[in-house]
């Protein structure tokens, strides 16, 4: 008998329009450390509900959001 895993969203990210604009501007400028740009992309994906579709993104989100 196969066990079916249920995906549970551990962290729910809700960004305001101003926060999304700020993160997009940060990414588009490209003049910041790679880690900061990656975290901005992860937050935008999580806000859009796409974080669970990409295993690496979901793992990154779990790893650093508690420390944010």
């Amino acid at each position: 008998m196969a066990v079916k895993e249920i995906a549970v969203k551990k962290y729910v990210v809700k960004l305001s329009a101003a926060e999304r604009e700020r993160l997009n501007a940060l990414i588009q400028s490209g003049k910041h450390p790679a880690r900061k740009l990656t975290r901005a992309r992860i937050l935008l994906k999580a806000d859009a509900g796409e974080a669970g579709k990409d295993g690496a993104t979901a793992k990154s989100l779990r790893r650093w959001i508690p420390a944010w």
Side-chain angles (χ1 to χ4, degrees):
M1 185 160 117
V3 177
K4 186 175 182 180
E5 290 187 34
I6 299 173
V8 177
K9 290 185 180 182
K10 193 169 186 178
Y11 303 104
V12 178
V13 178
K14 302 264 185 192
L15 299 175
S16 67
E19 290 170 328
R20 278 191 294 278
E21 287 178 26
R22 183 173 173 211
L23 290 172
N24 280 320
L26 186 118
I27 291 168
Q28 289 174 358
S29 72
K31 296 188 179 206
H32 298 280
R35 178 177 283 182
K36 192 169 193 173
L37 296 175
T38 301
R39 289 180 175 178
R41 287 185 192 102
I42 290 170
L43 283 173
L44 287 169
K45 277 189 167 189
D47 182 54
E50 298 176 11
K53 295 178 184 175
D54 179 351
T57 303
K59 184 177 179 183
S60 297
L61 192 62
R62 282 192 307 269
R63 183 175 29 183
W64 68 265
I65 278 199
W68 184 267

